[in-house]
Amino acid sequence: MTGTKRRKKNVPWSRVKAPHCEDFEQWGRRRLPVLEWALHYNLKENLPPDTVSGIMLAVQQVTQGLAFALLSSVHPVFGLYGSLFPAIIYAIFGMGRHVATGTFALTSLISANAVERLVPPSSQNLTAQSNTSILGLSDFEMQRISVAAAVSFLGGVIQVAMYVVQLGRATFLFTEPVISAMTTGAATHVVTSQVKYFLGMKMPYISGPLGFFYIVAASFACYYTNMENTYGLEVVGHIPKGIPSPQVPPVNVLSAVVTEAFGVALVGYAASLALAQGSAKKFKYSVDDNQELLAHGLSNVISSFFFCIPSAAAMGRTAGLYSTGAKTQVACLISCIFVLIVIYALGPLLYWLPMCVLASIIVVGLKGMLIQFRDLKKYWNVDKIDWGIWVSTYVFTICFAANVGLLFGVVCTVAIVIARLSRAKTLSIKNMKEMEFKVKTEMDGVSESNIFLLQKETLQQVKIISINQPLVFLNAKKFHTDLMNIIQKENASLQPLDDTSKCERNTLLISLSNGSSCNEEVSQPCPNEECSLILDCSGLTFFDSSGVSMLVEVYMDCKSKNVDVLLVHCTASLVKAMKYCGNLDSEKPFFFKSVSAALSNIHSNKARQNLSKVNDQSEV
């Protein structure tokens, strides 16, 4: 009996599979996305555009690094470090191939709150005469960067902790109106903080490589005209060469910077994820929300040991990678080489750089965020509730802080959706027989058998899906993902059929979504013939801008796959919103009053195309 019991207890252990090398390899590829693209990097095709993009990006990294360090209330040289280390770490762990990580205006402004509170300017008189052995900077400057590094370290720890508990799955709560309003409000904060600098000398900003030469020219002009002493113009000052040895951020100030650390973790990640998802959508690849948490968390944690201010992805630099044709993160790594050259060789030449020039760089660098005011018109025409969320989030960001505005926007959005869902009407499942299309034609000279062939051939190429729940940001992404996955799965499972089977295969389907997705069976009609997808929107009781954008995206994806999409039972507000947001085909009817009307349109088009073919078959 004892032996029998022991054997029974050992049975579960025998079912446990030992990890294989393939499992570790897959885990490594998921956690180190650099292995995915680096092993297949095409030097001939990708290196030239990446090199050009890297040089252009280096110009932005250097100038914005100096400027955002000023915004963070630390010495400008630490902005150069913040443009170097986070970019390298993100290139290894991040999945956004066109995302430029480094210093960021919003995270710099948040860390500046902690720096100014814990190391106020009044303490400079006590430490200005005492210099440390690190870079030859004063104790005052080192105390300030220690606080900023502590904010970066704790913010990165929070992001890594969010990755561990898989909070990346909750990023759908960061809706487009909330992110747009939060970043616009924070950009307004940044602009107002720079008034004291750029009103000293009004100087235009020139983007691109000319901007770097403009900075050098301004420095030499300030030097030869002695503006610092003659007019009291504030300049950057001494920029030391080299990179100091790593040092652990001060642990004793972590408890004092918890608020700023949470702000850096949430605001930096939300803004960076929006850019990563935008680049992935634009260039047709995928981004894991949780992996992005790990990448940005490690970028902040590791960089904090090298006296770096908090980092995130910047909109202006990412747009620069788009415009210059970057292919991979190699562009960011190449830019790091040029940043190193500036740190070790060219840094002292920027001594006479006026502060007002850096202020102009900050303001113009926020142009992409400030022009988001134009989104108000879109939200007003698409969904006025989203418009109200945008305005209220912006007001909260202006009155309080970026992290407060972000949290308010998320809470407000969830509360409104819950209130709307509670009032949403449910629709009963339609019977298959009620959805069958019975052709009624008045064509003269066509026999009933030929009409039946036309009807059958038309129905074989029609897929009908009934949407029975509101389409909002909560379920829009899953709706699109499930729809596309099932299409791919069914297409892959189809076996080649002979001509008779292809014509006998019935592909008319009515598929009900369970509230967040729509499922459909897909079959292949006769070769080189278009299929039609009918979306029954009678159960779509309400929607938001995310839902409308997803419907437009489904339309564009299906159009690229030679599938016509027709919407039936649409409300007037949905028709207006889709026409406003999407580039719909104006030559073909898109909206219909009923399923039968849509099928009649499909059948009429098919009948005109195949009438001659049917007559030939009838004669045979």
Side-chain angles (χ1 to χ4, degrees):
M1 293 294 291
T2 305
T4 305
K5 291 182 179 180
R6 287 179 179 176
R7 281 194 295 270
K8 288 183 178 179
K9 291 181 180 179
N10 291 334
V11 168
W13 290 103
S14 63
R15 297 178 182 176
V16 177
K17 296 182 179 179
H20 299 286
C21 295
E22 292 80 4
D23 298 331
F24 288 107
E25 182 180 354
Q26 292 178 0
W27 183 88
R29 287 180 179 272
R30 288 197 304 267
R31 297 298 166 256
L32 297 173
V34 65
L35 299 177
E36 286 289 335
W37 56 265
L39 297 178
H40 306 90
Y41 189 77
N42 192 321
L43 292 175
K44 184 177 180 180
E45 294 183 0
N46 297 336
L47 187 58
D50 281 344
T51 302
V52 174
S53 299
I55 296 174
M56 301 292 288
L57 177 62
V59 175
Q60 291 181 301
Q61 290 277 44
V62 171
T63 55
Q64 291 188 1
L66 295 172
F68 293 152
L70 170 68
L71 184 62
S72 192
S73 299
V74 298
H75 194 277
V77 71
F78 300 117
L80 297 178
Y81 304 154
S83 300
L84 175 65
F85 293 102
I88 297 175
I89 298 168
Y90 182 84
I92 298 174
F93 294 96
M95 299 187 70
R97 302 173 193 171
H98 304 80
V99 175
T101 303
T103 55
F104 184 45
L106 305 189
T107 54
S108 297
L109 185 65
I110 294 173
S111 65
N113 295 333
V115 172
E116 294 289 344
R117 187 181 75 252
L118 299 179
V119 190
S122 59
S123 63
Q124 184 174 5
N125 297 330
L126 303 177
T127 59
Q129 302 301 325
S130 175
N131 292 336
T132 64
S133 60
I134 302 177
L135 300 174
L137 297 176
S138 66
D139 288 337
F140 174 77
E141 294 291 353
M142 296 310 301
Q143 289 175 10
R144 286 204 152 194
I145 188 56
S146 296
V147 174
V151 174
S152 177
F153 174 81
L154 188 55
V157 169
I158 294 173
Q159 290 175 329
V160 173
M162 293 169 64
Y163 159 77
V164 172
V165 297
Q166 301 290 297
L167 284 183
R169 298 177 180 178
T171 54
F172 64 87
L173 297 174
F174 296 152
T175 61
E176 181 182 341
V178 172
I179 298 299
S180 174
M182 183 271 294
T183 53
T184 305
T188 306
H189 266 301
V190 174
V191 171
T192 56
S193 70
Q194 296 304 298
V195 172
K196 59 182 179 181
Y197 292 111
F198 63 75
L199 288 185
M201 178 179 287
K202 187 176 181 181
M203 305 178 72
Y205 176 72
I206 305 175
S207 60
L210 292 178
F212 182 75
F213 295 111
Y214 177 74
I215 289 176
V216 175
S219 301
F220 278 108
C222 184
Y223 170 73
Y224 284 110
T225 57
N226 196 19
M227 290 185 180
E228 181 184 15
N229 297 324
T230 305
Y231 301 103
L233 183 66
E234 189 175 1
V235 297
V236 170
H238 172 65
I239 296 181
K241 291 183 181 180
I243 298 175
S245 301
Q247 184 175 341
V248 178
V251 181
N252 58 327
V253 300
L254 293 181
S255 59
V257 297
V258 172
T259 303
E260 288 79 9
F262 269 102
V264 166
L266 294 177
V267 174
Y269 173 67
S272 301
L273 182 64
L275 293 176
Q277 290 177 339
S279 65
K281 183 178 179 181
K282 182 179 180 67
F283 296 99
K284 307 299 181 184
Y285 60 88
S286 61
V287 169
D288 185 359
D289 299 347
N290 279 306
Q291 182 63 27
E292 289 297 294
L293 268 174
L294 178 64
H296 289 288
L298 293 178
S299 296
N300 280 312
V301 170
I302 298 176
S303 300
S304 65
F305 289 83
F306 295 91
F307 304 97
C308 293
I309 59 179
S311 64
M315 181 182 295
R317 297 194 300 268
T318 301
L321 289 178
Y322 291 172
S323 61
T324 53
K327 300 296 183 181
T328 63
Q329 280 289 324
V330 171
C332 297
L333 296 177
I334 291 175
S335 71
C336 293
I337 298 175
F338 289 93
V339 174
L340 276 174
I341 294 175
V342 174
I343 291 175
Y344 279 95
L346 303 180
L349 299 179
L350 301 176
Y351 178 95
W352 298 99
L353 178 62
M355 289 292 191
C356 58
V357 175
L358 295 181
S360 67
I361 293 173
I362 293 173
V363 173
V364 178
L366 298 172
K367 176 184 176 182
M369 297 182 185
L370 293 174
I371 62 176
Q372 291 179 133
F373 278 109
R374 297 185 300 185
D375 293 345
L376 284 172
K377 180 180 179 181
K378 179 183 73 172
Y379 295 130
W380 180 263
N381 287 278
V382 175
D383 183 23
K384 292 180 175 57
I385 293 181
D386 276 353
W387 182 89
I389 292 174
W390 197 104
V391 173
S392 58
T393 303
Y394 176 81
V395 171
F396 264 74
T397 304
I398 289 294
C399 296
F400 300 99
N403 53 340
V404 177
L406 178 64
L407 292 176
F408 170 81
V410 170
V411 172
C412 185
T413 301
V414 173
I416 290 176
V417 169
I418 293 175
R420 296 173 76 179
L421 282 172
S422 63
R423 299 194 305 268
K425 296 180 180 179
T426 57
L427 219 65
S428 59
I429 299 176
K430 295 185 177 180
N431 196 344
M432 174 91 63
K433 294 182 179 180
E434 295 177 357
M435 301 296 295
E436 288 180 353
F437 174 58
K438 297 180 180 180
V439 179
K440 294 182 180 180
T441 180
E442 297 180 357
M443 292 187 297
D444 297 332
V446 182
S447 63
E448 293 182 0
S449 60
N450 289 344
I451 294 175
F452 174 78
L453 289 175
L454 280 173
Q455 174 186 353
K456 183 178 180 181
E457 190 171 0
T458 300
L459 294 179
Q460 288 170 352
Q461 302 173 50
V462 177
K463 278 74 72 175
I464 306 176
I465 295 176
S466 180
I467 306 175
N468 296 308
Q469 288 290 335
L471 192 57
V472 293
F473 72 94
L474 289 170
N475 60 359
K477 186 176 180 180
K478 192 172 188 300
F479 165 77
H480 179 268
T481 301
D482 289 351
L483 187 61
M484 294 298 116
N485 286 342
I486 291 173
I487 289 176
Q488 295 176 0
K489 180 179 178 181
E490 293 296 329
N491 284 339
S493 63
L494 288 174
Q495 299 295 330
L497 303 174
D498 54 25
D499 294 338
T500 304
S501 299
K502 288 180 181 179
C503 294
E504 291 178 355
R505 191 178 183 95
N506 183 13
T507 63
L508 178 63
L509 174 68
I510 314 301
S511 177
L512 264 299
S513 69
N514 60 1
S516 63
S517 64
C518 294
N519 300 330
E520 64 168 341
E521 295 179 3
V522 181
S523 62
Q524 292 289 348
C526 297
N528 301 325
E529 293 187 355
E530 292 186 352
C531 295
S532 297
L533 173 65
I534 297 178
L535 295 179
D536 184 3
C537 301
S538 56
L540 189 58
T541 52
F542 69 86
F543 55 89
D544 63 1
S545 56
S546 299
V548 174
S549 299
M550 192 57 65
L551 282 175
V552 174
E553 186 175 344
V554 167
Y555 169 80
M556 300 304 296
D557 289 345
C558 292
K559 184 179 180 182
S560 65
K561 297 178 182 179
N562 205 28
V563 176
D564 289 332
V565 178
L566 299 86
L567 266 65
V568 301
H569 297 135
C570 300
T571 61
S573 58
L574 178 60
V575 174
K576 178 183 177 182
M578 291 197 65
K579 287 183 178 179
Y580 186 86
C581 286
N583 186 17
L584 306 179
D585 191 353
S586 59
E587 297 180 359
K588 296 181 179 180
F590 184 68
F591 303 97
F592 295 88
K593 294 182 178 180
S594 62
V595 175
S596 60
L599 288 169
S600 297
N601 179 268
I602 297 173
H603 174 71
S604 300
N605 294 335
K606 187 64 181 179
R608 286 193 296 266
Q609 296 174 5
N610 295 344
L611 183 59
S612 58
K613 179 180 177 181
V614 173
N615 289 332
D616 293 340
Q617 293 178 355
S618 177
E619 293 176 1
V620 174

Short mmCIF file of all heavy atoms in Angstrom, two decimals, residues 499-538:
data_model
loop_
_atom_site.label_atom_id
_atom_site.label_comp_id
_atom_site.label_asym_id
_atom_site.label_seq_id
_atom_site.Cartn_x
_atom_site.Cartn_y
_atom_site.Cartn_z
N ASP A 499 -13.39 22.95 -58.88
CA ASP A 499 -14.30 24.00 -59.31
C ASP A 499 -15.72 23.75 -58.84
O ASP A 499 -16.44 24.67 -58.47
CB ASP A 499 -14.27 24.11 -60.84
CG ASP A 499 -12.90 24.60 -61.32
OD1 ASP A 499 -12.19 25.22 -60.50
OD2 ASP A 499 -12.58 24.34 -62.48
N THR A 500 -16.14 22.48 -58.84
CA THR A 500 -17.51 22.17 -58.42
C THR A 500 -17.71 22.47 -56.94
O THR A 500 -18.71 23.07 -56.53
CB THR A 500 -17.82 20.70 -58.70
OG1 THR A 500 -17.58 20.43 -60.07
CG2 THR A 500 -19.26 20.36 -58.32
N SER A 501 -16.70 22.10 -56.11
CA SER A 501 -16.80 22.35 -54.68
C SER A 501 -16.81 23.83 -54.38
O SER A 501 -17.48 24.29 -53.47
CB SER A 501 -15.65 21.66 -53.94
OG SER A 501 -15.71 20.26 -54.15
N LYS A 502 -16.00 24.59 -55.13
CA LYS A 502 -15.95 26.04 -54.90
C LYS A 502 -17.31 26.67 -55.14
O LYS A 502 -17.70 27.62 -54.46
CB LYS A 502 -14.91 26.68 -55.82
CG LYS A 502 -13.48 26.35 -55.40
CD LYS A 502 -12.50 27.01 -56.35
CE LYS A 502 -11.07 26.67 -55.98
NZ LYS A 502 -10.10 27.29 -56.90
N CYS A 503 -18.01 26.19 -56.13
CA CYS A 503 -19.30 26.77 -56.45
C CYS A 503 -20.39 26.28 -55.51
O CYS A 503 -21.42 26.92 -55.36
CB CYS A 503 -19.69 26.46 -57.89
SG CYS A 503 -18.60 27.24 -59.09
N GLU A 504 -20.19 25.10 -54.88
CA GLU A 504 -21.20 24.58 -53.98
C GLU A 504 -20.99 25.01 -52.54
O GLU A 504 -21.84 24.82 -51.70
CB GLU A 504 -21.18 23.04 -54.03
CG GLU A 504 -21.67 22.48 -55.36
CD GLU A 504 -21.60 20.97 -55.39
OE1 GLU A 504 -21.08 20.40 -54.41
OE2 GLU A 504 -22.07 20.39 -56.36
N ARG A 505 -19.83 25.62 -52.24
CA ARG A 505 -19.53 26.00 -50.86
C ARG A 505 -20.39 27.19 -50.44
O ARG A 505 -20.38 28.21 -51.09
CB ARG A 505 -18.04 26.36 -50.73
CG ARG A 505 -17.60 26.50 -49.28
CD ARG A 505 -16.11 26.79 -49.26
NE ARG A 505 -15.63 26.86 -47.90
CZ ARG A 505 -15.10 25.86 -47.23
NH1 ARG A 505 -14.96 24.69 -47.82
NH2 ARG A 505 -14.69 26.01 -45.98
N ASN A 506 -21.10 27.07 -49.34
CA ASN A 506 -21.97 28.15 -48.86
C ASN A 506 -21.22 28.97 -47.83
O ASN A 506 -20.75 28.44 -46.84
CB ASN A 506 -23.23 27.54 -48.23
CG ASN A 506 -24.19 28.63 -47.80
OD1 ASN A 506 -24.03 29.77 -48.18
ND2 ASN A 506 -25.19 28.24 -47.03
N THR A 507 -21.09 30.23 -48.08
CA THR A 507 -20.31 31.08 -47.19
C THR A 507 -21.14 32.17 -46.55
O THR A 507 -20.61 33.14 -46.04
CB THR A 507 -19.16 31.74 -47.96
OG1 THR A 507 -19.72 32.57 -48.96
CG2 THR A 507 -18.24 30.71 -48.56
N LEU A 508 -22.45 32.05 -46.61
CA LEU A 508 -23.30 33.03 -45.92
C LEU A 508 -23.29 32.72 -44.43
O LEU A 508 -23.53 31.60 -44.01
CB LEU A 508 -24.73 32.94 -46.46
CG LEU A 508 -25.74 33.87 -45.80
CD1 LEU A 508 -25.35 35.31 -46.04
CD2 LEU A 508 -27.13 33.61 -46.34
N LEU A 509 -22.98 33.69 -43.63
CA LEU A 509 -22.84 33.46 -42.19
C LEU A 509 -23.41 34.64 -41.42
O LEU A 509 -23.15 35.77 -41.75
CB LEU A 509 -21.36 33.28 -41.83
CG LEU A 509 -21.06 33.16 -40.34
CD1 LEU A 509 -21.61 31.88 -39.78
CD2 LEU A 509 -19.57 33.25 -40.09
N ILE A 510 -24.13 34.32 -40.40
CA ILE A 510 -24.58 35.32 -39.45
C ILE A 510 -23.86 35.05 -38.15
O ILE A 510 -24.02 33.98 -37.58
CB ILE A 510 -26.09 35.25 -39.22
CG1 ILE A 510 -26.84 35.14 -40.54
CG2 ILE A 510 -26.58 36.45 -38.43
CD1 ILE A 510 -26.59 36.28 -41.46
N SER A 511 -23.07 35.99 -37.68
CA SER A 511 -22.26 35.76 -36.49
C SER A 511 -22.50 36.88 -35.51
O SER A 511 -22.37 38.04 -35.85
CB SER A 511 -20.78 35.69 -36.86
OG SER A 511 -20.01 35.55 -35.71
N LEU A 512 -22.85 36.50 -34.29
CA LEU A 512 -23.13 37.47 -33.24
C LEU A 512 -21.91 37.68 -32.38
O LEU A 512 -21.25 36.73 -32.00
CB LEU A 512 -24.27 36.99 -32.34
CG LEU A 512 -25.67 37.51 -32.67
CD1 LEU A 512 -25.73 39.01 -32.55
CD2 LEU A 512 -26.11 37.05 -34.02
N SER A 513 -21.59 38.96 -32.07
CA SER A 513 -20.51 39.21 -31.12
C SER A 513 -21.06 39.08 -29.71
O SER A 513 -22.23 39.31 -29.45
CB SER A 513 -19.94 40.60 -31.32
OG SER A 513 -20.88 41.56 -30.93
N ASN A 514 -20.15 38.73 -28.77
CA ASN A 514 -20.56 38.59 -27.37
C ASN A 514 -20.41 39.88 -26.60
O ASN A 514 -20.43 39.89 -25.39
CB ASN A 514 -19.75 37.48 -26.71
CG ASN A 514 -18.27 37.77 -26.74
OD1 ASN A 514 -17.89 38.82 -27.25
ND2 ASN A 514 -17.46 36.87 -26.22
N GLY A 515 -20.20 40.99 -27.31
CA GLY A 515 -20.06 42.27 -26.62
C GLY A 515 -18.75 42.94 -26.90
O GLY A 515 -18.64 44.13 -26.77
N SER A 516 -17.73 42.17 -27.30
CA SER A 516 -16.44 42.79 -27.53
C SER A 516 -15.81 42.35 -28.81
O SER A 516 -14.79 42.86 -29.19
CB SER A 516 -15.49 42.47 -26.38
OG SER A 516 -15.26 41.09 -26.32
N SER A 517 -16.37 41.36 -29.49
CA SER A 517 -15.74 40.92 -30.71
C SER A 517 -16.78 40.32 -31.62
O SER A 517 -17.86 39.95 -31.21
CB SER A 517 -14.63 39.91 -30.42
OG SER A 517 -15.21 38.75 -29.84
N CYS A 518 -16.44 40.18 -32.86
CA CYS A 518 -17.29 39.54 -33.84
C CYS A 518 -16.51 38.41 -34.46
O CYS A 518 -15.36 38.58 -34.83
CB CYS A 518 -17.72 40.54 -34.92
SG CYS A 518 -18.79 41.84 -34.28
N ASN A 519 -17.14 37.26 -34.59
CA ASN A 519 -16.49 36.10 -35.15
C ASN A 519 -17.15 35.77 -36.48
O ASN A 519 -18.35 35.89 -36.64
CB ASN A 519 -16.60 34.89 -34.22
CG ASN A 519 -15.96 35.16 -32.88
OD1 ASN A 519 -15.02 35.94 -32.80
ND2 ASN A 519 -16.47 34.53 -31.83
N GLU A 520 -16.37 35.30 -37.42
CA GLU A 520 -16.93 34.95 -38.71
C GLU A 520 -16.15 33.81 -39.33
O GLU A 520 -14.96 33.66 -39.09
CB GLU A 520 -16.91 36.13 -39.67
CG GLU A 520 -15.52 36.60 -40.01
CD GLU A 520 -15.52 37.56 -41.16
OE1 GLU A 520 -16.52 37.59 -41.90
OE2 GLU A 520 -14.54 38.25 -41.35
N GLU A 521 -16.85 33.01 -40.08
CA GLU A 521 -16.20 31.99 -40.87
C GLU A 521 -15.94 32.58 -42.23
O GLU A 521 -16.77 33.28 -42.79
CB GLU A 521 -17.10 30.76 -41.01
CG GLU A 521 -17.36 30.05 -39.69
CD GLU A 521 -18.27 28.87 -39.89
OE1 GLU A 521 -18.64 28.60 -41.05
OE2 GLU A 521 -18.63 28.25 -38.91
N VAL A 522 -14.80 32.30 -42.76
CA VAL A 522 -14.41 32.88 -44.03
C VAL A 522 -14.14 31.76 -45.00
O VAL A 522 -13.45 30.81 -44.67
CB VAL A 522 -13.15 33.75 -43.88
CG1 VAL A 522 -12.77 34.36 -45.21
CG2 VAL A 522 -13.41 34.83 -42.86
N SER A 523 -14.66 31.87 -46.15
CA SER A 523 -14.39 30.88 -47.18
C SER A 523 -14.00 31.57 -48.45
O SER A 523 -14.34 32.72 -48.67
CB SER A 523 -15.61 30.00 -47.41
OG SER A 523 -16.68 30.79 -47.85
N GLN A 524 -13.33 30.88 -49.28
CA GLN A 524 -12.82 31.46 -50.50
C GLN A 524 -13.83 31.24 -51.61
O GLN A 524 -14.21 30.11 -51.90
CB GLN A 524 -11.49 30.81 -50.88
CG GLN A 524 -10.37 31.16 -49.93
CD GLN A 524 -9.96 32.60 -50.08
OE1 GLN A 524 -10.35 33.26 -51.04
NE2 GLN A 524 -9.19 33.10 -49.15
N PRO A 525 -14.29 32.29 -52.26
CA PRO A 525 -15.14 32.13 -53.42
C PRO A 525 -14.29 31.77 -54.62
O PRO A 525 -13.12 31.47 -54.50
CB PRO A 525 -15.78 33.51 -53.56
CG PRO A 525 -14.77 34.42 -52.99
CD PRO A 525 -14.07 33.68 -51.91
N CYS A 526 -14.92 31.82 -55.76
CA CYS A 526 -14.18 31.53 -56.98
C CYS A 526 -13.02 32.51 -57.12
O CYS A 526 -13.11 33.65 -56.69
CB CYS A 526 -15.10 31.62 -58.20
SG CYS A 526 -16.44 30.39 -58.13
N PRO A 527 -11.92 32.09 -57.70
CA PRO A 527 -10.72 32.94 -57.75
C PRO A 527 -11.00 34.27 -58.41
O PRO A 527 -11.81 34.39 -59.33
CB PRO A 527 -9.74 32.10 -58.56
CG PRO A 527 -10.23 30.67 -58.42
CD PRO A 527 -11.69 30.77 -58.31
N ASN A 528 -10.26 35.27 -57.94
CA ASN A 528 -10.27 36.62 -58.52
C ASN A 528 -11.62 37.30 -58.42
O ASN A 528 -11.93 38.18 -59.21
CB ASN A 528 -9.82 36.58 -59.98
CG ASN A 528 -8.42 36.01 -60.13
OD1 ASN A 528 -7.56 36.24 -59.27
ND2 ASN A 528 -8.19 35.27 -61.19
N GLU A 529 -12.46 36.89 -57.49
CA GLU A 529 -13.76 37.52 -57.31
C GLU A 529 -13.82 38.18 -55.94
O GLU A 529 -13.29 37.66 -54.97
CB GLU A 529 -14.88 36.49 -57.46
CG GLU A 529 -15.00 35.95 -58.88
CD GLU A 529 -16.20 35.06 -59.04
OE1 GLU A 529 -16.87 34.82 -58.01
OE2 GLU A 529 -16.49 34.63 -60.15
N GLU A 530 -14.49 39.31 -55.89
CA GLU A 530 -14.57 40.06 -54.64
C GLU A 530 -15.59 39.43 -53.68
O GLU A 530 -16.61 38.90 -54.10
CB GLU A 530 -14.97 41.50 -54.93
CG GLU A 530 -13.90 42.28 -55.67
CD GLU A 530 -14.30 43.75 -55.80
OE1 GLU A 530 -15.44 44.08 -55.44
OE2 GLU A 530 -13.45 44.52 -56.23
N CYS A 531 -15.27 39.49 -52.40
CA CYS A 531 -16.21 39.11 -51.36
C CYS A 531 -16.83 40.37 -50.78
O CYS A 531 -16.32 41.48 -50.98
CB CYS A 531 -15.51 38.31 -50.26
SG CYS A 531 -14.86 36.72 -50.82
N SER A 532 -17.90 40.19 -50.05
CA SER A 532 -18.58 41.32 -49.43
C SER A 532 -18.82 41.02 -47.96
O SER A 532 -19.20 39.91 -47.60
CB SER A 532 -19.91 41.61 -50.13
OG SER A 532 -19.69 41.98 -51.48
N LEU A 533 -18.57 42.01 -47.11
CA LEU A 533 -18.79 41.90 -45.68
C LEU A 533 -19.85 42.91 -45.27
O LEU A 533 -19.68 44.11 -45.49
CB LEU A 533 -17.49 42.17 -44.92
CG LEU A 533 -17.58 42.24 -43.40
CD1 LEU A 533 -17.99 40.90 -42.83
CD2 LEU A 533 -16.25 42.69 -42.81
N ILE A 534 -20.94 42.43 -44.70
CA ILE A 534 -22.04 43.28 -44.26
C ILE A 534 -21.99 43.35 -42.74
O ILE A 534 -22.05 42.33 -42.06
CB ILE A 534 -23.40 42.75 -44.73
CG1 ILE A 534 -23.48 42.76 -46.26
CG2 ILE A 534 -24.52 43.60 -44.15
CD1 ILE A 534 -24.77 42.22 -46.82
N LEU A 535 -21.88 44.56 -42.21
CA LEU A 535 -21.89 44.78 -40.77
C LEU A 535 -23.25 45.35 -40.38
O LEU A 535 -23.60 46.47 -40.78
CB LEU A 535 -20.77 45.75 -40.36
CG LEU A 535 -19.34 45.26 -40.56
CD1 LEU A 535 -18.35 46.34 -40.14
CD2 LEU A 535 -19.08 43.97 -39.80
N ASP A 536 -24.01 44.56 -39.62
CA ASP A 536 -25.32 44.99 -39.15
C ASP A 536 -25.13 45.79 -37.87
O ASP A 536 -24.81 45.23 -36.82
CB ASP A 536 -26.21 43.77 -38.92
CG ASP A 536 -27.62 44.16 -38.54
OD1 ASP A 536 -27.92 45.38 -38.50
OD2 ASP A 536 -28.42 43.26 -38.26
N CYS A 537 -25.34 47.10 -37.93
CA CYS A 537 -25.09 47.99 -36.80
C CYS A 537 -26.35 48.32 -36.02
O CYS A 537 -26.39 49.33 -35.30
CB CYS A 537 -24.44 49.29 -37.29
SG CYS A 537 -22.87 49.04 -38.16
N SER A 538 -27.36 47.49 -36.15
CA SER A 538 -28.61 47.77 -35.42
C SER A 538 -28.41 47.69 -33.91
O SER A 538 -29.13 48.33 -33.15
CB SER A 538 -29.70 46.79 -35.87
OG SER A 538 -29.28 45.45 -35.67
#
